Amino acid sequence: MYQYILPSVTDGIGTIILNDPPKRNALGQAMASELQQVLADWRFDPEVRTLVFRGAEGYFCSGGDITSMKHRIDQFAKGFPLPRKTQK
């Protein structure tokens, strides 16, 4: 289901492993989307009482994925609007 994160719940502990070791688990658009989804799923789940974030293969998170940022900027330069956050 997820490509860039590995979520699991055991004994009330929700663990999310950032899983893009070639990029040292840099936070890109796809990973951020997956994080948003799992956190929304767990938001009111009584089985998840604590969250733990880890990184795969010895890296936690090297920051933002510049490649992902460049793609968004290039799309904007071509006339495509940047995604906007909507109020719920």
Side-chain angles (χ1 to χ4, degrees), residues 32-86:
S33 178
E34 291 181 7
L35 282 169
Q36 184 178 23
Q37 179 62 52
V38 76
L39 291 173
D41 291 346
W42 288 355
R43 183 174 181 185
F44 297 109
D45 186 338
E47 298 296 316
V48 181
R49 297 186 312 271
T50 301
L51 292 177
V52 174
F53 288 87
R54 297 178 36 212
E57 296 187 23
Y59 306 108
F60 175 63
C61 180
S62 62
D65 181 357
I66 294 173
T67 305
S68 176
M69 291 177 204
K70 181 180 180 329
H71 175 73
R72 292 181 75 195
I73 291 168
D74 290 346
Q75 292 297 310
F76 179 71
K78 291 177 185 175
F80 293 99
L82 291 174
R84 296 180 185 259
K85 186 173 183 177
T86 58

Side-chain angles (χ1 to χ4, degrees), residues 3-30:
Q3 181 177 353
Y4 297 101
I5 64 171
L6 302 172
S8 64
V9 179
T10 304
D11 296 329
I13 300 170
T15 300
I16 297 173
I17 299 173
L18 306 179
N19 189 37
D20 193 5
K23 291 189 177 184
R24 296 195 168 139
N25 301 317
L27 184 62
Q29 191 171 359

